[in-house]
Amino acid sequence: MENNTKSKILDEALVMFAENGYKGTNLRDLASRLGLSKSALYKHYSSKDAIWNALLDRMEAYYAEHFGSADNLPNQPKSMEELYILTMKMVDFTLNDARIILTRKLLLTEQFHDERVCSLATKHFMVGTKNIFANIFKKMMNDGILKNDDPEMLAFIYTAPVTSLIQISTREPDKKGEVLEQIETFVKYFIATYAVT
Amino acid sequence: MENNTKSKILDEALVMFAENGYKGTNLRDLASRLGLSKSALYKHYSSKDAIWNALLDRMEAYYAEHFGSADNLPNQPKSMEELYILTMKMVDFTLNDARIILTRKLLLTEQFHDERVCSLATKHFMVGTKNIFANIFKKMMNDGILKNDDPEMLAFIYTAPVTSLIQISTREPDKKGEVLEQIETFVKYFIATYAVT
DNA sequence: AATTATAGTGACCAAACGGTCACTTGTCAA
DNA sequence: TTGACAAGTGACCGTTTGGTCACTATAATT
């Protein structure tokens, strides 16, 4: 399968671009990690830049699929307990999925060198999760579970601290356990503050 | 003055490292921007790596000076009004000072490639400002201005959203005005929520 | 069996890079 | 006046890099 090789190239390119940046990644290493010679890469992609852009295409497609429409939204929590569980499930995934971690590294290191990365970074670190929780909170307010307030603002003050803690874990993986505890503490604090009593 | 040239090299190195990363910065460009030949750089620093480390030394010294001791803390706010003014003054500086902006870019792009950058990044984006406001909030609680709560937690949920908005402005400078508005809105929301009535 | 397309190889190239070196210039002390 | 030293220059070097090309092997099509 040619297609298989093409996607394996992107898999390994993600690892290398994330670890060493675009400039710090060289095609000889990339090829040898795949058990290929460098010139074989050129049978699948016309240049280093073409690999880079194909990888970004795939990332954009992934985001369009998972965050683009309202269909893929997580199950609407019916209680604060369920909000807690949903949140921690999302955090756990985000904190441990290898591909997401690499993607986050790539977005951070290359956000100033590529416009597409720039817009993806804002989506990933800001508006993506914020919008999801804004919708969730709006319904929870209608259901009388969550205190009435501006759902956009509440989603922002809920997701921003979590996102900032996740960035610490991305930067210093040793602190993952500590970060997880802090997220738990924060989420519990938020729920205690905004639950309808 | 030799010292002057040495520090001018670091000034320009900060610009180039921040814009293009360590790997993406080459000494020919750096020298020519300073009106020097490349070999002249080697009269002041023994290698590219030496320039890099001298720059990090200066950054660490800067942080130790401005965030290291309790002496350099800003004036303790005596009212929520003063907290608002202090916060917006700090935000304005952080959002507009060229050197801080470049430093932030450098921290973000190189945080995974250098241990010193990694620890500076956590200081800059997290613990630095959080600790400052934790101290401020503790006193404000004692003064009966701020609702009694965990000052650490409150400082965290106060600074994390602001920091995340500042990162957007760093990534997309066009959005600076918009970001400033959002920060104002958030700060007012926070004050309205936690002011002692 | 002959043809053709695909995947892969290794040698090679030009450009860019960090770094070195012999040399020049200017300044200041003895 | 001379000697020493710091600052700067341009030519040069070895290495690494992205990219090309002629060639081979394999498998499917005719």
Side-chain angles (χ1 to χ4, degrees):
Chain A
M1 284 293 174
E2 41 165 330
N3 214 334
N4 210 323
T5 304
K6 281 191 92 159
S7 94
K8 276 184 184 172
I9 291 174
L10 294 190
D11 291 343
E12 199 60 42
L14 171 60
V15 175
M16 296 190 68
F17 284 140
E19 300 288 339
N20 312 315
Y22 181 83
K23 281 258 185 185
T25 299
N26 74 79
L27 299 185
R28 272 165 246 265
D29 279 0
L30 174 57
S32 91
R33 288 206 200 191
L34 292 160
L36 290 175
S37 83
K38 187 194 50 162
S39 32
L41 294 179
Y42 286 85
K43 298 291 172 178
H44 301 278
Y45 296 101
S46 63
S47 66
K48 183 183 183 182
D49 218 60
I51 297 176
W52 172 255
N53 280 299
L55 182 60
L56 292 190
D57 288 344
R58 201 173 74 171
M59 283 176 49
E60 282 175 351
Y62 179 86
Y63 273 96
E65 185 183 346
H66 289 267
F67 296 101
S69 73
D71 302 339
N72 299 77
L73 290 182
N75 288 334
Q76 177 67 30
K78 297 295 177 196
S79 68
M80 285 310 234
E81 193 65 26
E82 284 185 31
L83 174 67
Y84 176 79
I85 292 168
L86 170 69
T87 304
M88 293 315 292
K89 203 174 267 179
M90 291 173 74
V91 165
D92 185 70
F93 174 71
T94 279
L95 231 39
N96 292 300
D97 183 78
R99 190 148 156 186
I100 299 284
I101 293 172
L102 290 170
T103 301
R104 218 157 39 226
K105 282 191 176 189
L106 188 146
L107 293 180
L108 287 170
T109 57
E110 299 299 326
Q111 58 184 324
F112 304 117
H113 310 139
D114 185 293
E115 285 189 17
R116 296 170 74 190
V117 175
C118 177
S119 89
L120 272 172
T122 297
K123 241 182 245 173
H124 184 110
F125 295 116
M126 192 69 181
V127 294
T129 39
K130 200 195 78 177
N131 286 346
I132 289 178
F133 279 96
N135 283 326
I136 289 175
F137 286 174
K138 195 182 288 182
K139 289 174 191 156
M140 290 178 79
M141 287 175 194
N142 282 337
D143 294 349
I145 307 169
L146 195 65
K147 276 186 187 163
N148 252 327
D149 207 323
D150 175 15
E152 289 283 334
M153 175 61 80
L154 227 57
F156 173 57
I157 69 176
Y158 188 55
T159 54
V162 174
T163 303
S164 100
L165 285 169
I166 288 170
Q167 278 200 32
I168 289 188
S169 167
T170 307
R171 181 163 52 236
E172 302 174 78
D174 307 340
K175 297 191 178 170
K176 191 160 73 181
E178 189 185 333
V179 160
L180 195 61
E181 276 180 32
Q182 288 182 264
I183 291 179
E184 274 178 1
T185 307
F186 165 73
V187 170
K188 283 174 185 166
Y189 176 90
F190 179 88
I191 287 178
T193 307
Y194 288 97
V196 172
T197 48
Chain B
M1 282 293 174
E2 40 163 331
N3 215 334
N4 210 323
T5 303
K6 281 191 91 157
S7 94
K8 277 183 183 172
I9 291 175
L10 294 190
D11 290 344
E12 199 59 41
L14 171 60
V15 175
M16 297 191 66
F17 284 140
E19 301 287 341
N20 311 315
Y22 180 84
K23 282 256 184 184
T25 299
N26 75 78
L27 299 186
R28 274 166 246 267
D29 279 0
L30 175 57
S32 91
R33 288 206 199 190
L34 292 160
L36 289 176
S37 83
K38 187 194 50 164
S39 32
L41 294 178
Y42 286 85
K43 299 292 171 178
H44 301 280
Y45 295 101
S46 62
S47 67
K48 184 184 183 182
D49 218 60
I51 297 177
W52 172 256
N53 280 298
L55 182 60
L56 291 191
D57 287 345
R58 202 173 73 171
M59 283 175 50
E60 282 175 350
Y62 179 86
Y63 273 96
E65 185 182 345
H66 289 266
F67 297 100
S69 74
D71 302 340
N72 299 77
L73 290 183
N75 288 335
Q76 177 67 30
K78 297 295 178 198
S79 68
M80 284 310 233
E81 193 65 27
E82 284 185 33
L83 174 66
Y84 177 79
I85 291 168
L86 169 70
T87 303
M88 293 314 294
K89 201 174 267 178
M90 291 172 75
V91 166
D92 185 71
F93 173 72
T94 280
L95 231 39
N96 292 300
D97 184 78
R99 191 148 155 185
I100 298 284
I101 293 173
L102 290 171
T103 301
R104 218 158 38 226
K105 281 191 176 190
L106 188 147
L107 294 181
L108 286 170
T109 56
E110 298 299 325
Q111 58 184 323
F112 304 118
H113 311 139
D114 185 294
E115 284 188 19
R116 295 170 74 189
V117 175
C118 177
S119 89
L120 272 171
T122 297
K123 244 182 241 172
H124 184 110
F125 295 115
M126 192 70 181
V127 294
T129 40
K130 199 194 78 174
N131 286 348
I132 289 178
F133 279 95
N135 282 326
I136 289 175
F137 286 173
K138 195 182 290 181
K139 288 175 191 153
M140 290 177 79
M141 287 175 194
N142 282 338
D143 294 350
I145 306 169
L146 195 65
K147 277 186 187 163
N148 252 327
D149 208 321
D150 175 16
E152 289 282 335
M153 176 61 79
L154 228 58
F156 172 58
I157 69 175
Y158 189 54
T159 54
V162 174
T163 303
S164 100
L165 284 168
I166 288 170
Q167 278 200 31
I168 289 189
S169 168
T170 307
R171 181 164 50 235
E172 302 175 78
D174 307 340
K175 298 191 178 171
K176 191 160 73 181
E178 190 184 333
V179 161
L180 195 61
E181 276 180 31
Q182 288 182 265
I183 292 179
E184 274 178 0
T185 306
F186 165 73
V187 170
K188 283 174 184 166
Y189 176 90
F190 179 88
I191 286 177
T193 306
Y194 288 98
V196 172
T197 48

